[in-house]
């Protein structure tokens, strides 16, 4: 059985790779409600507009509740310390790994029972909750992200 670090990093790494690929292909759109606007936002937004990316990968949903005040505060912190989109993605993945402990006892029946903001409050979850929280942080900064199902062993 894989250790907590190995399994969690494997899952987050897989999602991170998908997001970096999407970044390289598509670009980024910044939510107009953001108070911080790093230099990279305008260039990234321009790339996003040119690539015609689906708004579906940027939308706030019940699961990816990035307008929640707790999630907004985490996004602001990440924007403050991130100088590039890649750095933001890396910092967001690390924040999720630190803030949401992997719960080995979580049942498969519990998947998608929470929302990103509640996952940060609970401080634990399996790959679903970690991925959901990372996607909310990315979408909230205007970085297109989506969930991809599957298991890593």
């Amino acid at each position: 059985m894989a250790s907590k670090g190995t399994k969690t990093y494997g899952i987050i790494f897989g999602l991170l790779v998908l997001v970096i690929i999407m970044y390289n292909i598509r670009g980024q759109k910044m939510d107009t409600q953001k108070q911080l606007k790093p230099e990279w936002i305008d260039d990234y937004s321009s790339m996003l507009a040119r690539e015609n990316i689906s708004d579906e990968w940027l939308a706030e949903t019940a699961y990816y509740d990035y307008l929640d005040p707790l999630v907004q505060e985490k996004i602001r912190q990440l924007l403050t310390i991130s100088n590039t989109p890649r750095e933001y993605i890396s910092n967001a993945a690390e924040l999720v790994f630190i803030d949401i402990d992997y719960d080995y006892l979580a049942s498969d029946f519990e998947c998608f029972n929470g929302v990103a903001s509640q996952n940060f409050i609970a401080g634990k979850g399996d790959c679903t909750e970690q991925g959901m929280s990372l996607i909310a942080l990315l979408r909230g900064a205007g970085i297109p992200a989506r969930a991809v199902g599957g298991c890593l062993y």
Side-chain angles (χ1 to χ4, degrees):
M1 183 156 120
S3 69
K4 171 187 177 182
T6 303
K7 188 172 182 180
T8 302
Y9 267 126
I11 292 165
I12 290 178
F13 178 75
L15 184 57
L16 183 59
V17 167
L18 174 66
V19 170
I20 288 173
I21 290 169
M22 289 170 51
Y23 157 73
N24 285 329
I25 295 171
R26 301 294 183 177
Q28 177 202 3
K29 177 181 176 184
M30 182 64 188
D31 184 349
T32 56
Q33 295 184 353
K34 301 294 173 287
Q35 294 176 354
L36 295 174
K37 191 173 181 182
E39 292 179 17
W40 52 266
I41 293 294
D42 288 334
D43 290 338
Y44 202 65
S45 294
S46 296
M47 288 189 315
L48 178 66
R50 284 192 310 268
E51 294 296 328
N52 196 27
I53 190 167
S54 170
D55 288 339
E56 179 182 10
W57 293 1
L58 292 166
E60 184 191 36
T61 68
Y63 295 125
Y64 315 124
D65 61 337
Y66 61 74
L67 293 178
D68 178 88
L70 173 64
V71 179
Q72 282 289 297
E73 179 56 33
K74 292 184 182 299
I75 291 168
R76 277 192 287 282
Q77 291 170 359
L78 290 166
L79 287 171
T80 301
I81 63 170
S82 303
N83 296 313
T84 66
R86 286 184 185 184
E87 196 173 291
Y88 181 93
I89 293 164
S90 179
N91 290 335
E94 185 175 351
L95 183 140
V96 168
F97 180 75
I98 291 169
D99 284 5
I100 302 175
D101 291 332
Y102 189 84
D103 183 1
Y104 291 97
L105 302 176
S107 164
D108 288 341
F109 297 108
E110 296 174 14
C111 287
F112 293 103
N113 278 341
V115 298
S117 58
Q118 292 303 311
N119 298 334
F120 284 114
I121 292 169
K124 67 177 184 171
D126 63 10
C127 55
T128 304
E129 285 77 22
Q130 290 173 329
M132 182 184 305
S133 301
L134 179 58
I135 290 169
L137 293 173
L138 296 175
R139 287 184 179 190
I143 298 173
R146 68 181 178 102
V148 177
C151 295
L152 297 174
Y153 292 99

